[in-house]
mmCIF file of all heavy atoms in Angstrom:
data_model
loop_
_atom_site.group_PDB
_atom_site.id
_atom_site.type_symbol
_atom_site.label_atom_id
_atom_site.label_comp_id
_atom_site.label_asym_id
_atom_site.label_seq_id
_atom_site.Cartn_x
_atom_site.Cartn_y
_atom_site.Cartn_z
ATOM 1 N N SER A 1 218.251 185.555 114.381
ATOM 2 C CA SER A 1 218.743 185.798 115.741
ATOM 3 C C SER A 1 219.643 184.702 116.268
ATOM 4 O O SER A 1 219.650 184.418 117.452
ATOM 5 C CB SER A 1 217.566 186.006 116.704
ATOM 6 O OG SER A 1 216.777 187.079 116.306
ATOM 7 N N GLY A 2 220.408 184.079 115.394
ATOM 8 C CA GLY A 2 221.281 183.001 115.852
ATOM 9 C C GLY A 2 222.606 183.525 116.374
ATOM 10 O O GLY A 2 222.914 183.434 117.544
ATOM 11 N N GLY A 3 223.375 184.100 115.488
ATOM 12 C CA GLY A 3 224.693 184.584 115.892
ATOM 13 C C GLY A 3 225.659 183.434 116.106
ATOM 14 O O GLY A 3 225.294 182.270 116.097
ATOM 15 N N GLY A 4 226.903 183.777 116.270
ATOM 16 C CA GLY A 4 227.918 182.764 116.477
ATOM 17 C C GLY A 4 229.139 183.372 117.130
ATOM 18 O O GLY A 4 229.220 184.582 117.285
ATOM 19 N N GLY A 5 230.081 182.549 117.452
ATOM 20 C CA GLY A 5 231.274 183.022 118.125
ATOM 21 C C GLY A 5 232.450 183.271 117.196
ATOM 22 O O GLY A 5 233.600 183.223 117.632
ATOM 23 N N ASN A 6 232.172 183.515 115.930
ATOM 24 C CA ASN A 6 233.264 183.674 114.969
ATOM 25 C C ASN A 6 233.632 185.134 114.702
ATOM 26 O O ASN A 6 234.324 185.429 113.750
ATOM 27 C CB ASN A 6 232.917 182.978 113.659
ATOM 28 C CG ASN A 6 231.639 183.513 113.031
ATOM 29 O OD1 ASN A 6 230.873 184.234 113.665
ATOM 30 N ND2 ASN A 6 231.408 183.182 111.782
ATOM 31 N N ALA A 7 233.160 186.047 115.513
ATOM 32 C CA ALA A 7 233.570 187.461 115.471
ATOM 33 C C ALA A 7 233.364 188.108 114.115
ATOM 34 O O ALA A 7 234.241 188.761 113.576
ATOM 35 C CB ALA A 7 235.020 187.593 115.912
ATOM 36 N N GLY A 8 232.173 187.953 113.575
ATOM 37 C CA GLY A 8 231.873 188.634 112.314
ATOM 38 C C GLY A 8 230.532 188.217 111.744
ATOM 39 O O GLY A 8 229.895 187.280 112.222
ATOM 40 N N GLU A 9 230.122 188.939 110.727
ATOM 41 C CA GLU A 9 228.915 188.620 109.962
ATOM 42 C C GLU A 9 229.265 188.638 108.486
ATOM 43 O O GLU A 9 230.317 189.141 108.080
ATOM 44 C CB GLU A 9 227.809 189.657 110.244
ATOM 45 C CG GLU A 9 227.298 189.656 111.663
ATOM 46 C CD GLU A 9 226.429 188.447 112.018
ATOM 47 O OE1 GLU A 9 226.037 187.686 111.113
ATOM 48 O OE2 GLU A 9 226.171 188.265 113.211
ATOM 49 N N SER A 10 228.388 188.120 107.665
ATOM 50 C CA SER A 10 228.651 187.945 106.232
ATOM 51 C C SER A 10 228.202 189.163 105.410
ATOM 52 O O SER A 10 227.410 189.044 104.488
ATOM 53 C CB SER A 10 227.989 186.667 105.729
ATOM 54 O OG SER A 10 228.546 185.557 106.359
ATOM 55 N N TYR A 11 228.718 190.326 105.755
ATOM 56 C CA TYR A 11 228.460 191.507 104.939
ATOM 57 C C TYR A 11 228.949 191.272 103.508
ATOM 58 O O TYR A 11 228.463 191.896 102.564
ATOM 59 C CB TYR A 11 229.135 192.733 105.550
ATOM 60 C CG TYR A 11 228.701 193.027 106.967
ATOM 61 C CD1 TYR A 11 229.461 192.630 108.051
ATOM 62 C CD2 TYR A 11 227.498 193.700 107.210
ATOM 63 C CE1 TYR A 11 229.052 192.882 109.351
ATOM 64 C CE2 TYR A 11 227.083 193.959 108.504
ATOM 65 C CZ TYR A 11 227.862 193.548 109.574
ATOM 66 O OH TYR A 11 227.463 193.805 110.859
ATOM 67 N N LEU A 12 229.895 190.363 103.378
ATOM 68 C CA LEU A 12 230.425 190.035 102.050
ATOM 69 C C LEU A 12 229.335 189.489 101.133
ATOM 70 O O LEU A 12 229.426 189.640 99.913
ATOM 71 C CB LEU A 12 231.555 189.010 102.164
ATOM 72 C CG LEU A 12 232.789 189.438 102.935
ATOM 73 C CD1 LEU A 12 233.823 188.327 102.951
ATOM 74 C CD2 LEU A 12 233.387 190.707 102.392
ATOM 75 N N LEU A 13 228.316 188.853 101.700
ATOM 76 C CA LEU A 13 227.208 188.357 100.867
ATOM 77 C C LEU A 13 226.481 189.518 100.181
ATOM 78 O O LEU A 13 226.073 189.417 99.035
ATOM 79 C CB LEU A 13 226.228 187.537 101.705
ATOM 80 C CG LEU A 13 226.699 186.165 102.119
ATOM 81 C CD1 LEU A 13 225.719 185.546 103.121
ATOM 82 C CD2 LEU A 13 226.869 185.257 100.906
ATOM 83 N N ALA A 14 226.318 190.622 100.908
ATOM 84 C CA ALA A 14 225.687 191.807 100.312
ATOM 85 C C ALA A 14 226.552 192.346 99.181
ATOM 86 O O ALA A 14 226.054 192.696 98.114
ATOM 87 C CB ALA A 14 225.474 192.875 101.378
ATOM 88 N N TRP A 15 227.857 192.409 99.423
ATOM 89 C CA TRP A 15 228.759 192.909 98.385
ATOM 90 C C TRP A 15 228.769 191.981 97.172
ATOM 91 O O TRP A 15 228.746 192.435 96.025
ATOM 92 C CB TRP A 15 230.170 193.054 98.937
ATOM 93 C CG TRP A 15 230.314 194.100 100.011
ATOM 94 C CD1 TRP A 15 229.346 194.965 100.459
ATOM 95 C CD2 TRP A 15 231.469 194.376 100.782
ATOM 96 N NE1 TRP A 15 229.859 195.766 101.455
ATOM 97 C CE2 TRP A 15 231.154 195.424 101.679
ATOM 98 C CE3 TRP A 15 232.747 193.822 100.817
ATOM 99 C CZ2 TRP A 15 232.070 195.940 102.577
ATOM 100 C CZ3 TRP A 15 233.673 194.333 101.715
ATOM 101 C CH2 TRP A 15 233.337 195.388 102.579
ATOM 102 N N TYR A 16 228.818 190.679 97.426
ATOM 103 C CA TYR A 16 228.812 189.712 96.332
ATOM 104 C C TYR A 16 227.538 189.842 95.503
ATOM 105 O O TYR A 16 227.577 189.897 94.273
ATOM 106 C CB TYR A 16 228.956 188.287 96.874
ATOM 107 C CG TYR A 16 229.016 187.245 95.784
ATOM 108 C CD1 TYR A 16 230.230 186.867 95.231
ATOM 109 C CD2 TYR A 16 227.846 186.653 95.309
ATOM 110 C CE1 TYR A 16 230.274 185.928 94.217
ATOM 111 C CE2 TYR A 16 227.890 185.706 94.306
ATOM 112 C CZ TYR A 16 229.108 185.343 93.763
ATOM 113 O OH TYR A 16 229.148 184.414 92.752
ATOM 114 N N PHE A 17 226.400 189.873 96.197
ATOM 115 C CA PHE A 17 225.129 189.987 95.490
ATOM 116 C C PHE A 17 225.079 191.265 94.647
ATOM 117 O O PHE A 17 224.687 191.247 93.480
ATOM 118 C CB PHE A 17 223.964 189.946 96.478
ATOM 119 C CG PHE A 17 222.627 190.024 95.813
ATOM 120 C CD1 PHE A 17 222.044 188.902 95.277
ATOM 121 C CD2 PHE A 17 221.965 191.235 95.692
ATOM 122 C CE1 PHE A 17 220.810 188.968 94.628
ATOM 123 C CE2 PHE A 17 220.736 191.309 95.046
ATOM 124 C CZ PHE A 17 220.167 190.171 94.516
ATOM 125 N N ALA A 18 225.449 192.399 95.242
ATOM 126 C CA ALA A 18 225.410 193.666 94.523
ATOM 127 C C ALA A 18 226.367 193.666 93.326
ATOM 128 O O ALA A 18 226.034 194.144 92.243
ATOM 129 C CB ALA A 18 225.735 194.814 95.464
ATOM 130 N N ALA A 19 227.549 193.102 93.512
ATOM 131 C CA ALA A 19 228.558 193.112 92.451
ATOM 132 C C ALA A 19 228.189 192.209 91.278
ATOM 133 O O ALA A 19 228.412 192.568 90.118
ATOM 134 C CB ALA A 19 229.915 192.698 93.013
ATOM 135 N N PHE A 20 227.605 191.051 91.560
ATOM 136 C CA PHE A 20 227.428 190.046 90.509
ATOM 137 C C PHE A 20 225.986 189.690 90.182
ATOM 138 O O PHE A 20 225.739 188.975 89.218
ATOM 139 C CB PHE A 20 228.171 188.762 90.909
ATOM 140 C CG PHE A 20 229.649 188.970 91.083
ATOM 141 C CD1 PHE A 20 230.231 188.830 92.330
ATOM 142 C CD2 PHE A 20 230.450 189.315 90.012
ATOM 143 C CE1 PHE A 20 231.597 189.014 92.506
ATOM 144 C CE2 PHE A 20 231.812 189.516 90.168
ATOM 145 C CZ PHE A 20 232.391 189.367 91.415
ATOM 146 N N HIS A 21 225.006 190.197 90.977
ATOM 147 C CA HIS A 21 223.617 189.788 90.741
ATOM 148 C C HIS A 21 222.656 190.961 90.655
ATOM 149 O O HIS A 21 221.445 190.753 90.855
ATOM 150 C CB HIS A 21 223.179 188.805 91.840
ATOM 151 C CG HIS A 21 223.877 187.496 91.765
ATOM 152 N ND1 HIS A 21 223.501 186.494 90.910
ATOM 153 C CD2 HIS A 21 224.973 187.036 92.424
ATOM 154 C CE1 HIS A 21 224.325 185.462 91.048
ATOM 155 N NE2 HIS A 21 225.228 185.784 91.957
ATOM 156 N N THR A 22 223.141 192.162 90.401
ATOM 157 C CA THR A 22 222.253 193.289 90.164
ATOM 158 C C THR A 22 222.622 193.948 88.855
ATOM 159 O O THR A 22 223.790 193.945 88.455
ATOM 160 C CB THR A 22 222.322 194.344 91.287
ATOM 161 O OG1 THR A 22 223.638 194.880 91.363
ATOM 162 C CG2 THR A 22 221.921 193.753 92.638
ATOM 163 N N ARG A 23 221.604 194.510 88.226
ATOM 164 C CA ARG A 23 221.792 195.317 87.014
ATOM 165 C C ARG A 23 220.895 196.533 87.149
ATOM 166 O O ARG A 23 219.734 196.412 87.549
ATOM 167 C CB ARG A 23 221.406 194.533 85.768
ATOM 168 C CG ARG A 23 222.353 193.380 85.505
ATOM 169 C CD ARG A 23 221.926 192.650 84.262
ATOM 170 N NE ARG A 23 221.948 193.596 83.158
ATOM 171 C CZ ARG A 23 222.250 193.289 81.928
ATOM 172 N NH1 ARG A 23 222.516 192.062 81.590
ATOM 173 N NH2 ARG A 23 222.242 194.201 80.976
ATOM 174 N N THR A 24 221.416 197.680 86.824
ATOM 175 C CA THR A 24 220.616 198.905 86.877
ATOM 176 C C THR A 24 220.814 199.687 85.575
ATOM 177 O O THR A 24 221.886 199.662 84.977
ATOM 178 C CB THR A 24 221.031 199.803 88.053
ATOM 179 O OG1 THR A 24 222.373 200.252 87.849
ATOM 180 C CG2 THR A 24 220.919 199.066 89.385
ATOM 181 N N ASP A 25 219.747 200.367 85.158
ATOM 182 C CA ASP A 25 219.849 201.216 83.970
ATOM 183 C C ASP A 25 220.895 202.297 84.172
ATOM 184 O O ASP A 25 221.638 202.648 83.259
ATOM 185 C CB ASP A 25 218.507 201.871 83.657
ATOM 186 C CG ASP A 25 217.527 200.912 83.015
ATOM 187 O OD1 ASP A 25 217.961 199.825 82.566
ATOM 188 O OD2 ASP A 25 216.334 201.248 82.969
ATOM 189 N N ALA A 26 220.942 202.847 85.372
ATOM 190 C CA ALA A 26 221.882 203.941 85.643
ATOM 191 C C ALA A 26 223.313 203.519 85.350
ATOM 192 O O ALA A 26 224.086 204.269 84.758
ATOM 193 C CB ALA A 26 221.739 204.423 87.087
ATOM 194 N N PHE A 27 223.665 202.318 85.735
ATOM 195 C CA PHE A 27 225.041 201.871 85.484
ATOM 196 C C PHE A 27 225.201 201.339 84.060
ATOM 197 O O PHE A 27 226.164 201.674 83.376
ATOM 198 C CB PHE A 27 225.466 200.799 86.496
ATOM 199 C CG PHE A 27 226.921 200.461 86.358
ATOM 200 C CD1 PHE A 27 227.879 201.290 86.913
ATOM 201 C CD2 PHE A 27 227.342 199.350 85.639
ATOM 202 C CE1 PHE A 27 229.236 201.004 86.765
ATOM 203 C CE2 PHE A 27 228.682 199.065 85.488
ATOM 204 C CZ PHE A 27 229.634 199.885 86.058
ATOM 205 N N GLU A 28 224.264 200.502 83.635
ATOM 206 C CA GLU A 28 224.394 199.875 82.314
ATOM 207 C C GLU A 28 224.389 200.911 81.186
ATOM 208 O O GLU A 28 225.129 200.786 80.223
ATOM 209 C CB GLU A 28 223.262 198.871 82.083
ATOM 210 C CG GLU A 28 223.222 197.722 83.080
ATOM 211 C CD GLU A 28 224.430 196.817 82.979
ATOM 212 O OE1 GLU A 28 224.925 196.607 81.871
ATOM 213 O OE2 GLU A 28 224.882 196.322 84.027
ATOM 214 N N LYS A 29 223.551 201.933 81.315
ATOM 215 C CA LYS A 29 223.410 202.923 80.232
ATOM 216 C C LYS A 29 224.286 204.149 80.410
ATOM 217 O O LYS A 29 224.684 204.770 79.427
ATOM 218 C CB LYS A 29 221.946 203.354 80.122
ATOM 219 C CG LYS A 29 221.030 202.226 79.701
ATOM 220 C CD LYS A 29 219.596 202.687 79.629
ATOM 221 C CE LYS A 29 218.686 201.547 79.201
ATOM 222 N NZ LYS A 29 217.267 201.954 79.188
ATOM 223 N N ARG A 30 224.556 204.545 81.678
ATOM 224 C CA ARG A 30 225.262 205.798 81.897
ATOM 225 C C ARG A 30 226.485 205.680 82.793
ATOM 226 O O ARG A 30 227.096 206.674 83.136
ATOM 227 C CB ARG A 30 224.285 206.825 82.489
ATOM 228 C CG ARG A 30 223.135 207.154 81.548
ATOM 229 C CD ARG A 30 222.157 208.127 82.166
ATOM 230 N NE ARG A 30 221.587 207.665 83.426
ATOM 231 C CZ ARG A 30 220.619 206.749 83.530
ATOM 232 N NH1 ARG A 30 220.126 206.186 82.454
ATOM 233 N NH2 ARG A 30 220.158 206.402 84.711
ATOM 234 N N LYS A 31 226.804 204.470 83.225
ATOM 235 C CA LYS A 31 227.958 204.241 84.110
ATOM 236 C C LYS A 31 227.876 205.049 85.404
ATOM 237 O O LYS A 31 228.889 205.467 85.949
ATOM 238 C CB LYS A 31 229.285 204.517 83.389
ATOM 239 C CG LYS A 31 229.518 203.657 82.187
ATOM 240 C CD LYS A 31 229.591 202.195 82.561
ATOM 241 C CE LYS A 31 229.862 201.328 81.345
ATOM 242 N NZ LYS A 31 229.316 199.989 81.460
ATOM 243 N N GLN A 32 226.669 205.238 85.908
ATOM 244 C CA GLN A 32 226.465 205.943 87.177
ATOM 245 C C GLN A 32 226.289 204.906 88.278
ATOM 246 O O GLN A 32 225.419 204.047 88.212
ATOM 247 C CB GLN A 32 225.248 206.858 87.100
ATOM 248 C CG GLN A 32 225.452 207.979 86.122
ATOM 249 C CD GLN A 32 224.167 208.734 85.858
ATOM 250 O OE1 GLN A 32 223.076 208.195 86.016
ATOM 251 N NE2 GLN A 32 224.298 209.977 85.437
ATOM 252 N N LYS A 33 227.119 205.046 89.288
ATOM 253 C CA LYS A 33 227.096 204.085 90.385
ATOM 254 C C LYS A 33 225.862 204.263 91.266
ATOM 255 O O LYS A 33 225.359 205.363 91.423
ATOM 256 C CB LYS A 33 228.345 204.247 91.253
ATOM 257 C CG LYS A 33 229.617 203.833 90.573
ATOM 258 C CD LYS A 33 230.777 203.973 91.532
ATOM 259 C CE LYS A 33 232.079 203.553 90.916
ATOM 260 N NZ LYS A 33 233.188 203.652 91.901
ATOM 261 N N GLY A 34 225.456 203.160 91.870
ATOM 262 C CA GLY A 34 224.410 203.204 92.878
ATOM 263 C C GLY A 34 225.034 203.405 94.250
ATOM 264 O O GLY A 34 226.240 203.661 94.375
ATOM 265 N N ILE A 35 224.206 203.300 95.264
ATOM 266 C CA ILE A 35 224.673 203.439 96.643
ATOM 267 C C ILE A 35 224.293 202.173 97.402
ATOM 268 O O ILE A 35 223.149 201.741 97.356
ATOM 269 C CB ILE A 35 224.027 204.666 97.324
ATOM 270 C CG1 ILE A 35 224.290 205.942 96.519
ATOM 271 C CG2 ILE A 35 224.576 204.824 98.747
ATOM 272 C CD1 ILE A 35 223.534 207.143 97.040
ATOM 273 N N LEU A 36 225.252 201.603 98.111
ATOM 274 C CA LEU A 36 225.032 200.385 98.872
ATOM 275 C C LEU A 36 225.347 200.665 100.334
ATOM 276 O O LEU A 36 226.419 201.193 100.645
ATOM 277 C CB LEU A 36 225.945 199.284 98.328
ATOM 278 C CG LEU A 36 225.824 197.909 98.950
ATOM 279 C CD1 LEU A 36 226.183 196.860 97.917
ATOM 280 C CD2 LEU A 36 226.712 197.751 100.159
ATOM 281 N N PHE A 37 224.405 200.354 101.204
ATOM 282 C CA PHE A 37 224.611 200.511 102.648
ATOM 283 C C PHE A 37 224.522 199.141 103.310
ATOM 284 O O PHE A 37 223.610 198.370 103.020
ATOM 285 C CB PHE A 37 223.493 201.361 103.277
ATOM 286 C CG PHE A 37 223.451 202.777 102.820
ATOM 287 C CD1 PHE A 37 222.660 203.157 101.752
ATOM 288 C CD2 PHE A 37 224.181 203.742 103.474
ATOM 289 C CE1 PHE A 37 222.600 204.471 101.337
ATOM 290 C CE2 PHE A 37 224.132 205.066 103.074
ATOM 291 C CZ PHE A 37 223.338 205.428 102.007
ATOM 292 N N THR A 38 225.454 198.855 104.193
ATOM 293 C CA THR A 38 225.288 197.777 105.142
ATOM 294 C C THR A 38 225.180 198.418 106.518
ATOM 295 O O THR A 38 225.715 199.498 106.750
ATOM 296 C CB THR A 38 226.442 196.750 105.104
ATOM 297 O OG1 THR A 38 227.690 197.432 105.275
ATOM 298 C CG2 THR A 38 226.448 195.981 103.804
ATOM 299 N N VAL A 39 224.462 197.752 107.392
ATOM 300 C CA VAL A 39 224.246 198.274 108.748
ATOM 301 C C VAL A 39 224.511 197.137 109.711
ATOM 302 O O VAL A 39 224.016 196.023 109.520
ATOM 303 C CB VAL A 39 222.794 198.766 108.911
ATOM 304 C CG1 VAL A 39 222.565 199.289 110.322
ATOM 305 C CG2 VAL A 39 222.443 199.822 107.865
ATOM 306 N N GLY A 40 225.285 197.404 110.759
ATOM 307 C CA GLY A 40 225.512 196.344 111.716
ATOM 308 C C GLY A 40 226.411 196.758 112.866
ATOM 309 O O GLY A 40 226.838 197.908 112.959
ATOM 310 N N ASP A 41 226.716 195.758 113.686
ATOM 311 C CA ASP A 41 227.509 196.019 114.890
ATOM 312 C C ASP A 41 228.661 195.028 115.038
ATOM 313 O O ASP A 41 229.234 194.907 116.108
ATOM 314 C CB ASP A 41 226.633 195.988 116.130
ATOM 315 C CG ASP A 41 225.966 194.636 116.349
ATOM 316 O OD1 ASP A 41 226.115 193.737 115.486
ATOM 317 O OD2 ASP A 41 225.283 194.476 117.376
ATOM 318 N N GLU A 42 228.970 194.301 113.976
ATOM 319 C CA GLU A 42 230.066 193.339 114.028
ATOM 320 C C GLU A 42 231.010 193.600 112.855
ATOM 321 O O GLU A 42 230.644 194.220 111.872
ATOM 322 C CB GLU A 42 229.532 191.908 113.951
ATOM 323 C CG GLU A 42 228.784 191.495 115.195
ATOM 324 C CD GLU A 42 228.701 189.992 115.337
ATOM 325 O OE1 GLU A 42 229.655 189.291 114.921
ATOM 326 O OE2 GLU A 42 227.687 189.529 115.856
ATOM 327 N N PRO A 43 232.239 193.049 112.960
ATOM 328 C CA PRO A 43 233.152 193.193 111.819
ATOM 329 C C PRO A 43 232.723 192.328 110.662
ATOM 330 O O PRO A 43 231.890 191.427 110.793
ATOM 331 C CB PRO A 43 234.500 192.736 112.371
ATOM 332 C CG PRO A 43 234.243 192.084 113.667
ATOM 333 C CD PRO A 43 232.850 192.406 114.105
#
């Protein structure tokens, strides 16, 4: 609950983590994509 005055949040951390730090059988074995949701109220 800190927040800041920089007009945004780090949704990019979710994208970075999903892109480079997850592995799934669906993608590794069958090239089937997963689904990623971010939820928020800032850019």
Side-chain angles (χ1 to χ4, degrees):
S1 301
N6 59 347
E9 295 287 349
S10 297
Y11 302 99
L12 298 180
L13 286 172
W15 294 356
Y16 182 90
F17 181 82
F20 299 114
H21 292 278
T22 62
R23 293 180 59 147
T24 65
D25 284 346
F27 187 80
E28 299 295 325
K29 295 179 180 177
R30 297 178 303 283
K31 300 298 181 209
Q32 294 170 336
K33 292 182 179 182
I35 304 173
L36 182 151
F37 295 92
T38 53
V39 179
D41 61 356
E42 291 201 33

